[in-house]
């Protein structure tokens, strides 16, 4: 939608060029009655789409074809003089700085968050899931593609089927693997780092036979499975989804919910078409992340140490 200002108020510097990847280049306009020529919009623009020739000039659109509609120009303008067609009325909101948590609060929630695999029977309200998705959609994305889409699975028979299809896939993988798959992990034991080799094959056998016996070691009887998917032809989709997952995880924690990353399910979705087909995943899309969600049955009382950060300062 093109934002229309009264023509006399607008100094239009518009160039419509060749279409961007998925839509036509956006329109950016400046309200010269409001603009103070501070130049922040041009300075903050990551793609040098906007320029300000000198301190006495209004900003201009110099390279609309490289605009990724990140909205930095709109968000940074102190006098609301920048109008970008991707950000119509109602899509720009003043930041409430007093609501932003302190560094101690951020670090405490990051440390307090653990994978929750024991869920209470309390039903999860739709509004809670919506808020978790709201946090996820604000994660950064490569070239501001906002590629991540979501599927919320709550139907119990569907959840059960997903766990079973995952178990079937995992069994197929280990039966085709010539050697036992092993994995080396490092664990902190009494302050010392210990190297541990895990036999993934036997772990998978334990998980899959439990599922066959009605014990859900894949979805852990989570009442909600939140899947993150995207068109695989878009760039950075995996990284985009991972960042969305982490936002969702922290929001879930903040709302008293528990979550765990459903790596087995994501792996099965990647290696086999059964679950994507069951969920009618759009053509060309892949699942890049998954979270089991629900109200936790138990609460962790302590946070435990992690490996010290291995850092090289150069
Ligand atoms: C890529 C990835 C895949 C994972 N897959 C599973 C999984 O399939 N099932 C599970 O219960 N936990 C899974 N987890 C959770 C990890 O086991 C967990 O994050 C790790 O042990 C650290 O514990 P914490 O999350 O409580 O801090 C996965 C985590 C990641 C990042």
């Amino acid at each position: 939608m093109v934002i229309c200002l009264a023509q006399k108020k607008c100094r239009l510097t518009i160039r419509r060029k060749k279409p961007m990847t998925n839509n036509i280049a956006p329109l950016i306009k400046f309200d010269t009655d409001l603009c103070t020529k501070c130049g922040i919009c041009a300075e903050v623009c990551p793609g040098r789409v906007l320029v300000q020739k000198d301190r006495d000039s209004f900003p201009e659109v110099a390279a609309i074809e490289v605009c990724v509609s990140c909205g930095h120009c709109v968000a940074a303008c102190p006098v609301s003089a920048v109008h970008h067609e991707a950000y119509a009325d109602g899509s720009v909101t003043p930041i409430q700085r007093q609501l932003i948590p302190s560094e101690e609060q951020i670090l405490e929630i990051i440390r307090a968050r653990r994978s929750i695999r024991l869920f209470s029977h309390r039903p999860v309200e739709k509004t809670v899931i919506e808020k978790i998705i709201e946090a996820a959609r604000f994660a950064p994305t490569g070239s501001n593609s906002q590629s991540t889409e979501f599927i919320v699975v709550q139907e119990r028979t569907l959840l059960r089927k997903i766990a079973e299809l995952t178990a079937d896939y995992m069994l197929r993988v280990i039966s085709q693997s010539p050697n036992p798959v092993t994995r080396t992990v490092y664990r902190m034991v009494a302050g010392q780092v210990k190297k541990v080799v895990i036999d993934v094959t036997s772990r998978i056998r334990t998980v899959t036979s439990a599922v066959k016996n009605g014990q859900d070691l894949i979805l852990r009887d989570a009442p909600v499975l939140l899947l993150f998917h995207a068109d695989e032809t878009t760039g950075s989709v995996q990284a985009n989804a991972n960042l969305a997952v982490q936002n969702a995880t922290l929001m879930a924690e903040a709302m008293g919910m528990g979550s765990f990353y459903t790596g087995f399910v994501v792996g099965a979705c990647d290696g086999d078409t059964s679950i994507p087909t069951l969920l009618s995943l759009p053509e060309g899309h892949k699942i890049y992340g998954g979270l089991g969600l629900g109200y936790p049955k138990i609460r962790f009382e302590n946070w435990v140490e992690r490996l010290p950060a291995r850092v090289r300062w150069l």
Side-chain angles (χ1 to χ4, degrees):
M1 192 182 104
V2 177
I3 296 165
C4 290
L5 296 176
Q7 202 61 27
K8 65 175 174 53
K9 276 192 163 187
C10 273
R11 185 185 139 108
L12 299 181
T13 322
I14 303 165
R15 288 185 215 156
R16 261 191 198 278
K17 291 215 171 159
K18 68 175 180 341
M20 295 200 310
T21 41
N22 51 3
N23 56 8
I24 51 168
L27 293 172
I28 304 172
K29 302 176 187 179
F30 306 96
D31 186 329
T32 53
D33 283 354
L34 296 176
C35 181
T36 60
K37 303 176 183 169
C38 70
I40 287 175
C41 58
E43 214 175 341
V44 81
C45 176
R48 297 278 177 268
V49 174
L50 305 182
V51 292
Q52 185 187 26
K53 288 194 179 117
D54 53 58
R55 281 282 163 212
D56 296 325
S57 309
F58 286 109
E60 289 174 36
V61 180
I64 196 70
E65 68 278 8
V66 293
C67 179
V68 296
S69 298
C70 65
H72 279 209
C73 51
V74 177
C77 179
V79 293
S80 306
V82 184
H83 297 267
H84 189 299
E85 72 169 337
Y87 299 95
D89 288 348
S91 63
V92 182
T93 307
I95 294 167
Q96 298 183 62
R97 297 259 164 224
Q98 76 280 8
L99 291 184
I100 292 180
S102 68
E103 63 196 68
E104 286 86 4
Q105 288 167 329
I106 291 276
L107 195 53
E108 200 61 13
I109 198 168
I110 288 170
R111 285 172 170 159
R113 181 223 57 86
R114 300 309 310 265
S115 294
I116 295 296
R117 302 181 180 94
L118 295 168
F119 295 97
S120 81
H121 295 299
R122 181 176 161 188
V124 182
E125 304 85 342
K126 189 174 183 219
T127 49
V128 171
I129 302 169
E130 282 171 342
K131 210 156 200 178
I132 290 168
I133 293 171
E134 181 67 0
R137 85 182 172 96
F138 274 89
T141 52
S143 300
N144 191 37
S145 66
Q146 302 179 40
S147 55
T148 311
E149 299 180 30
F150 308 92
I151 298 175
V152 181
V153 188
Q154 291 175 285
E155 170 62 51
R156 291 189 76 78
T157 50
L158 205 49
L159 289 166
R160 172 96 203 129
K161 187 79 191 153
I162 290 169
E164 283 170 1
L165 289 171
T166 302
D168 291 345
Y169 170 75
M170 287 161 70
L171 274 177
R172 274 205 309 282
V173 169
I174 54 167
S175 67
Q176 286 159 11
S177 158
N179 302 309
V181 187
T182 56
R183 187 162 61 103
T184 305
V185 293
Y186 292 85
R187 281 211 186 119
M188 283 280 283
V189 182
Q192 282 192 319
V193 180
K194 291 210 169 176
K195 203 171 172 184
V196 183
V197 177
I198 290 180
D199 182 345
V200 177
T201 311
S202 63
R203 192 167 157 226
I204 287 178
R205 285 200 201 288
T206 308
V207 169
T208 51
S209 63
V211 171
K212 298 289 171 202
N213 293 324
Q215 217 193 334
D216 184 3
L217 292 193
I218 288 178
L219 285 177
R220 303 280 179 169
D221 295 315
V224 180
L225 172 64
L226 177 60
L227 293 167
F228 300 70
H229 67 98
D231 181 333
E232 60 181 321
T233 61
T234 310
S236 317
V237 268
Q238 182 65 74
N240 297 346
N242 289 347
L243 290 161
V245 166
Q246 188 58 9
N247 270 16
T249 302
L250 292 178
M251 182 50 108
E253 187 72 27
M255 297 185 82
M257 297 269 297
S259 72
F260 74 100
Y261 192 93
T262 58
F264 289 139
V265 176
V266 174
C269 291
D270 189 38
D272 186 68
T273 55
S274 320
I275 299 173
T277 305
L278 179 72
L279 300 174
S280 305
L281 200 69
E283 188 71 29
H285 276 226
K286 275 178 73 173
I287 287 168
Y288 293 102
L291 285 177
L293 286 164
Y295 284 102
K297 196 163 139 190
I298 59 121
R299 204 180 61 170
F300 288 101
E301 299 299 338
N302 310 294
W303 59 263
V304 297
E305 260 305 344
R306 285 273 159 104
L307 290 177
R310 283 141 289 173
V311 188
R312 293 173 67 227
W313 300 83
L314 302 173

